[in-house]
Amino acid sequence: MLTAAAYEADPQGPGVDAGLVLRAAAAAGLDTRALDDAGRAGLTRSADGRLRLPDPRARYTAEPPARRRAAHRCLSDAATGERQRVAGLLHRALATPCPDERLGTELAAAARQPGPPTGERATAAALAAGLTADPAVRAERLVTAAELFRRAGRFARARELLDGVGELAPPSAVRGYAALVHGLLALRDGPVADARESLLLAAALCAPGPALDARLAAAEAAWALGDAQGYREVVGVRGAPPGPGAVLDYRLGMSASLGERFRAGRAALTRVVERAASRAEDEPAALLRAGAAALVAGNIEAACRIGAGALAAARARDAGTDVPRALELLAYGELRAGRHARARAHAEEGLRTARATGQRNLVAGQHAVLALVASLDSDAGTVAHHADAAQHIAARHGLVQTETLAQWALARADLARGRAAEAVARLGPLVAPGPRRGHFAVRMLAVPCFVEAAALAGEPGGARAAVAEFTVWAERGYDPQAPAQLARCRALFDPSDELFGAALDRHDRAGGDFERARTAALYGKWLRRTRRPARARALLRDALIAFERCGAAVWAAQTAAELRATGEAPAGTQPAGELGELTPQQLRIARWVAEGDTNREVARRLSVSPRTVDHHLRNVFARLGVRSRVELARLVHRAERPAATL
């Protein structure tokens, strides 16, 4: 019974303090045989000194009220020292059958003490609300408890407490505080349009400090929604208190960078980044803003360093809800830097922590990053799994940035498998300007993929307008890879040795295996089709090694197939069994048909006529002794099963 009662201080916590329960048991005259009996009933003791009991709430409510209050009195008496002051007050309150204003004041003061949010402190604030007869005071304490539960990652409990605030008719300051907590909850686990409205209401009702926090969070909601104009209006300083220097620079920099004053915006964002890099900032929220500033300014390496600092600060402060946010920043930064294995590691941890803290909007974001990573090295099913998981949440909660990233991942998976027309269909709406399109911060990042897909699909016309906009964006320095990607786009429109060579030179200055390998592979493909196989082989070998080095297995497989078409078989890629009887061209056609391509799609890949493909395919059928495309697919999949990870 004592253990079940101890759980009431933090019902969803990781267990109860074994020392507290044992002292209370000793004071009650219980002996070790009672603990043995409890052990047989499922009570366990962990290495960190906590007792755990299955379904403690059911055991607690099964006891009569008088026995429960007696247990809480024992626990309150046993809670000694400053470390257990909150627990002692909690159990005193749970032993009190009627309102006690003085005890409520003590509990409320204990809940407001500085330190990491805990279930005990949040429960203390909630109990303090029940110990006062003043509706305004009760409302304020309920909101305080809701905020503590939110910061502890207990979103459902926070919402339950907020539901009871409105009927108390609180003053405007408390209504503003409640709107702030409502908005922060929805920002991480709900429709972000609702979050923005709650946060803007909070900004109008709260005191200057919380009002600034609400305004910054409302800007974050507008960003997630893909509302560039709304973001600039909210994050800007016109008509709102500017805040301290770092916050002022952040607001000026972000609003200017998304408008036409990009040079002034970059200067302001650079000051934010430098302040964080000099360790002048140590608050997780400030570091997360600085990391976002670095990404917008195109300083990807600084974004990764600051993200690591934000993660360390969140862990040191036990700020559980900030940990998945820091991991999301890190995962995205590493993805932009081309370090895909690191991006996956951070995104997988971020996914676990976001789920544990109930932050579904961050869950969606991590799935989108994992989909992008999977588009390099995993099968199409894995990409679709992560993209679908991201879009399922994003569609319900209005997460336009997450939806855009997920669609980009699916398009990149199409492109890696030679399905250029499908990639064009996905990317076309994302990169086009105007409302109801891709996210304003992601559109330009996806343009090089769109141009590549359009060129390979034989539909370059629609991509030229996107390249014109991409040219302006690249010149502003928002992405270190953009100049090389722009040169590649121009080479795809008007292929020449000079343009492809210029693109490779720019890649050498920018660094990054994956993007350089993509350019080398496209250059090699063009050289093969212009009947220069020797030069094509050299470039395709370089691209293949680079793709393998950065873990882009799917792209490596496509490049290996292209290399085989030049007459060279990469090491370890000789076809197995009956497939070894086919010519390189026949083998490529057989593989693509086995993947489901039509003759017209294969012809487009090979830059030949559908009639030529039909001729080769009849020879493939005759040589392999198959009579249908289904039989061919079965034979190819059976023969190449050991190499399916390519």
Side-chain angles (χ1 to χ4, degrees):
M1 174 57 197
L2 283 172
T3 304
Y7 262 98
E8 291 297 295
D10 185 9
Q12 294 176 306
V16 299
D17 186 332
L20 175 63
V21 174
L22 289 171
R23 287 194 302 275
L30 299 176
D31 58 26
T32 56
R33 284 176 296 180
L35 289 178
D36 291 338
D37 291 340
R40 284 192 292 272
L43 181 65
T44 59
R45 185 169 181 175
S46 63
D48 62 355
R50 304 195 77 79
L51 294 174
R52 293 180 173 83
L53 185 66
D55 201 4
R57 185 65 183 164
R59 300 184 185 214
Y60 179 80
T61 55
E63 298 290 339
R67 184 168 163 77
R68 291 184 225 159
R69 288 194 293 271
H72 286 301
R73 281 193 293 271
C74 287
L75 290 164
S76 176
D77 292 341
T80 57
E82 186 60 30
R83 188 177 68 85
Q84 293 188 329
R85 181 168 174 269
V86 175
L89 289 170
L90 275 169
H91 290 295
R92 272 178 57 198
L94 289 165
T96 303
C98 54
D100 185 329
E101 293 283 354
R102 182 175 176 180
L103 180 55
T105 301
E106 287 187 76
L107 272 172
R112 287 194 297 268
Q113 290 298 309
T118 63
E120 275 192 353
R121 287 177 58 206
T123 303
L127 285 176
L131 293 173
T132 180
D134 186 329
V137 174
R138 185 181 304 166
E140 182 180 5
R141 290 176 182 176
L142 285 173
V143 178
T144 299
E147 170 61 0
L148 287 169
F149 275 117
R150 183 195 71 80
R151 291 171 57 202
R154 314 272 182 84
F155 282 29
R157 180 62 176 142
R159 288 189 170 103
E160 286 175 9
L161 293 169
L162 288 174
D163 287 344
V165 172
E167 63 190 33
L168 297 172
S172 61
V174 177
R175 285 195 295 115
Y177 187 19
L180 175 59
V181 181
H182 265 300
L184 293 173
L185 287 167
L187 182 60
R188 303 289 169 232
D189 185 47
V192 286
D194 296 352
R196 178 170 61 178
E197 296 310 309
S198 290
L199 291 163
L200 289 175
L201 175 61
L205 295 176
C206 286
L212 179 59
D213 292 339
R215 197 171 187 87
L216 291 171
E220 191 178 341
W223 183 287
L225 278 167
D227 181 0
Q229 180 60 34
Y231 178 83
R232 288 196 296 271
E233 290 173 359
V234 176
V235 83
V237 297
R238 186 178 302 171
V247 174
L248 177 59
D249 278 337
Y250 174 80
R251 296 175 67 186
L252 287 170
M254 295 297 274
S255 58
S257 294
L258 296 183
E260 294 302 317
R261 299 173 56 246
F262 63 93
R263 288 191 179 88
R266 170 167 291 179
L269 294 179
T270 299
R271 292 193 295 272
V272 175
V273 172
E274 289 173 347
R275 203 175 274 116
S278 67
R279 300 189 182 277
E281 301 283 7
D282 62 355
E283 288 280 347
L287 290 170
L288 288 166
R289 283 195 297 271
L295 285 174
V296 171
N299 193 340
I300 308 303
E301 292 302 327
C304 293
R305 289 195 300 273
I306 293 168
L311 179 60
R315 285 172 171 161
R317 293 170 182 264
D318 200 18
T321 53
D322 285 332
V323 168
R325 291 181 62 205
L327 286 164
E328 183 180 46
L329 171 64
L330 258 176
Y332 188 61
E334 296 290 6
L335 185 71
R336 292 276 302 275
R339 295 187 286 264
H340 305 107
R342 293 190 203 177
R344 172 181 277 118
H346 290 308
E348 287 175 344
E349 185 182 356
L351 189 59
R352 289 192 297 271
T353 56
R355 282 174 174 159
T357 51
Q359 301 186 83
R360 284 180 293 175
N361 292 355
L362 296 183
V363 167
Q366 300 290 17
H367 271 301
V369 171
L370 288 169
L372 280 163
V373 175
S375 70
L376 274 71
D377 64 0
S378 301
D379 58 74
T382 301
V383 181
H385 163 72
H386 288 298
D388 290 349
Q391 291 180 113
H392 176 71
I393 298 170
R396 297 173 63 184
H397 291 178
L399 307 173
V400 174
Q401 181 175 18
T402 298
E403 283 192 285
T404 303
L405 291 171
Q407 281 294 315
W408 183 19
L410 290 168
R412 206 156 72 166
D414 286 334
L415 193 54
R417 288 162 177 80
R419 300 180 181 278
E422 290 86 344
V424 170
R426 288 189 190 279
L427 290 170
L430 296 186
V431 302
R436 302 181 66 80
R437 299 292 185 175
H439 191 274
F440 59 85
V442 181
R443 289 177 54 241
M444 291 296 101
L445 296 175
V447 163
C449 277
F450 176 57
V451 172
E452 181 178 341
L456 295 176
E459 305 170 12
R464 293 187 184 274
V467 170
E469 189 178 359
F470 186 75
T471 301
V472 175
W473 187 81
E475 289 171 350
R476 293 181 176 182
Y478 288 133
D479 187 344
Q481 293 291 337
Q485 292 172 325
L486 176 60
R488 180 173 74 211
C489 290
R490 288 170 173 162
L492 287 169
F493 284 145
D494 301 296
S496 70
D497 292 309
E498 291 75 19
L499 288 176
F500 273 119
L504 289 174
D505 288 343
R506 288 182 177 272
H507 280 301
D508 289 337
R509 291 196 291 272
D513 280 340
F514 179 66
E515 290 299 330
R516 190 188 190 284
R518 287 178 71 176
T519 298
L522 289 165
Y523 188 9
K525 184 180 292 189
W526 176 69
L527 287 170
R528 183 188 69 77
R529 290 177 179 174
T530 54
R531 292 176 172 75
R532 288 179 282 176
R535 291 190 62 196
R537 279 194 288 270
L539 283 160
L540 291 168
R541 282 190 216 107
D542 288 347
L544 177 60
I545 291 169
F547 282 138
E548 290 174 344
R549 187 166 54 238
C550 68
V554 179
W555 297 76
Q558 188 187 75
T559 305
E562 194 70 38
L563 190 54
R564 282 191 293 270
T566 68
E568 176 176 324
T573 61
Q574 290 292 342
E578 298 159 289
L579 298 185
E581 300 177 8
L582 302 180
T583 67
Q585 187 82 311
Q586 288 172 342
L587 181 62
R588 297 181 81 210
I589 291 171
R591 284 177 167 137
W592 285 334
V593 168
E595 289 176 5
D597 281 9
T598 65
N599 286 8
R600 187 172 297 279
E601 288 169 333
V602 173
R604 191 183 299 129
R605 289 193 185 203
L606 294 172
S607 298
V608 298
S609 71
R611 180 173 296 180
T612 300
V613 173
D614 183 65
H615 170 75
H616 282 302
L617 191 57
R618 285 199 304 271
N619 290 336
V620 167
F621 280 18
R623 184 162 293 187
L624 297 180
V626 298
R627 293 176 295 178
S628 71
R629 300 170 85 93
V630 173
E631 287 184 31
L632 175 62
R634 288 173 181 161
L635 189 151
V636 171
H637 293 155
R638 184 172 62 249
E640 300 200 328
R641 192 172 299 145
T645 54
L646 282 179

